[in-house]
């Protein structure tokens, strides 16, 4: 059974940083798309970024709202994908989820494309 486990969330002040982890169990990261999403109370799920672990040009994509502040990376030996978040703002508050599908990535708005989701980790940014 494939399972994703997120960790690394917490509470930070504006301008702070956090690094979220998404570890895959029961599967490998090989040639898969891992997406990061977030959802704030009362708001729709929002795509943050994605990475195709098979590599190649353009394998990492970001939402406009996080470009230049967030960085996605992979550690295949740890079966883990990271989301490094810098210069956090209150609008970054939400529950962050990672998702996996063993195929190439598609635009972030197609969140139903992913077939395995983690339980999420909470990020709270206060001013």
């Amino acid at each position: 059974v494939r399972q994703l486990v997120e960790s690394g969330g917490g509470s930070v002040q504006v301008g702070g940083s956090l690094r979220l982890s998404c570890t895959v169990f029961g599967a490998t990261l090989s040639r898969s798309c891992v997406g990061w999403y977030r959802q704030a109370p009362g708001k729709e799920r929002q795509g943050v970024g994605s990475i195709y672990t098979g590599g190649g040009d353009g394998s990492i994509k970001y939402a406009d709202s996080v470009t230049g502040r967030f960085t996605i990376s992979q550690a295949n030996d740890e079966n883990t994908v990271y989301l490094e978040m810098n210069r956090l703002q209150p609008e970054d508050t939400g529950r962050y989820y990672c998702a996996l599908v063993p195929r190439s990535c598609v635009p972030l708005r197609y969140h139903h494309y992913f077939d395995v989701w983690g339980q999420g980790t909470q990020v709270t940014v206060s001013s």
Side-chain angles (χ1 to χ4, degrees):
V1 177
R2 294 177 299 164
Q3 185 179 9
L4 306 181
V5 178
E6 302 98 334
S7 61
S11 296
V12 296
Q13 293 189 326
V14 170
S17 299
L18 285 171
R19 187 177 78 158
L20 306 185
S21 301
C22 172
T23 301
V24 181
F25 298 93
T28 69
L29 279 177
S30 177
R31 298 178 183 178
S32 297
C33 182
V34 176
W36 282 99
Y37 289 80
R38 65 188 181 189
Q39 189 165 19
K43 295 188 177 181
E44 293 186 353
R45 189 176 312 183
Q46 178 186 32
V48 175
S50 64
I51 180 170
Y52 175 61
T53 61
D57 293 340
S59 63
I60 301 178
K61 304 290 186 183
Y62 299 98
D64 290 344
S65 59
V66 306
T67 297
R69 300 188 298 122
F70 290 14
T71 302
I72 296 174
S73 61
Q74 63 184 90
N76 288 342
D77 58 339
E78 299 172 1
N79 229 29
T80 298
V81 169
Y82 298 99
L83 177 65
E84 182 80 30
M85 306 186 296
N86 299 308
R87 305 201 309 273
L88 284 162
Q89 301 297 314
E91 53 266 33
D92 295 317
T93 294
R95 193 162 186 85
Y96 283 68
Y97 300 87
C98 62
L100 173 76
V101 64
R103 295 189 290 273
S104 298
C105 290
V106 297
L108 287 168
R109 64 182 179 274
Y110 299 116
H111 58 86
H112 293 296
Y113 178 72
F114 295 92
D115 55 14
V116 183
W117 289 79
Q119 82 290 349
T121 185
Q122 180 67 33
V123 172
T124 303
V125 184
S126 58
S127 56

